[in-house]
Amino acid sequence: MYRKKFKKDRLLKENVTYKIDLKGLEASRERGSIFMSWSDYNSIKEYQDLFLLYISDTQAQIIPERCFQTEEDKQHFKLLIANNK
């Protein structure tokens, strides 16, 4: 089901730039950007190579591990998550 949705949805294939700070996360694409404060997320799960930031039970923002330039950036992100659950 997810592969089928990915193949059909052009937005999922666009490059995304993330800006992460104490207030929340901003995802920017060619067509615009969206800001989500940490309180907008229901839950956040970490997996081996990505983070899922759940907006609802069925919708989540995917943050691949490759988005972090350094291990320090990744650890800082984890700290932000821990402090804003």
Side-chain angles (χ1 to χ4, degrees):
M1 177 175 90
Y2 296 111
R3 287 177 199 232
K4 196 176 194 181
K5 181 171 175 60
F6 179 78
K7 287 179 181 180
K8 288 184 179 183
D9 194 335
R10 292 180 317 187
L11 287 177
L12 292 175
K13 296 177 186 175
E14 287 184 9
N15 287 332
V16 180
T17 302
Y18 296 100
K19 180 182 173 190
I20 302 165
D21 61 23
L22 294 173
K23 295 178 185 176
L25 183 142
E26 180 179 7
S28 300
R29 294 188 163 123
E30 286 182 24
R31 300 176 192 202
S33 64
I34 183 168
F35 175 81
M36 302 284 289
S37 69
W38 294 116
S39 63
D40 292 330
Y41 296 106
N42 292 343
S43 66
I44 299 172
K45 306 243 181 187
E46 179 182 358
Y47 294 93
Q48 184 175 355
D49 59 350
L50 59 88
F51 294 88
L52 290 179
L53 288 70
Y54 285 93
I55 301 161
S56 71
D57 290 342
T58 57
Q59 281 189 309
Q61 277 186 292
I62 301 168
I63 309 292
E65 189 175 83
R66 69 178 182 269
C67 289
F68 303 101
Q69 293 179 352
T70 66
E71 183 63 27
E72 185 178 315
D73 290 341
K74 182 179 166 186
Q75 293 304 319
H76 183 69
F77 180 68
K78 287 180 170 185
L79 186 61
L80 281 172
I81 291 170
N83 290 334
N84 289 289
K85 281 188 177 180

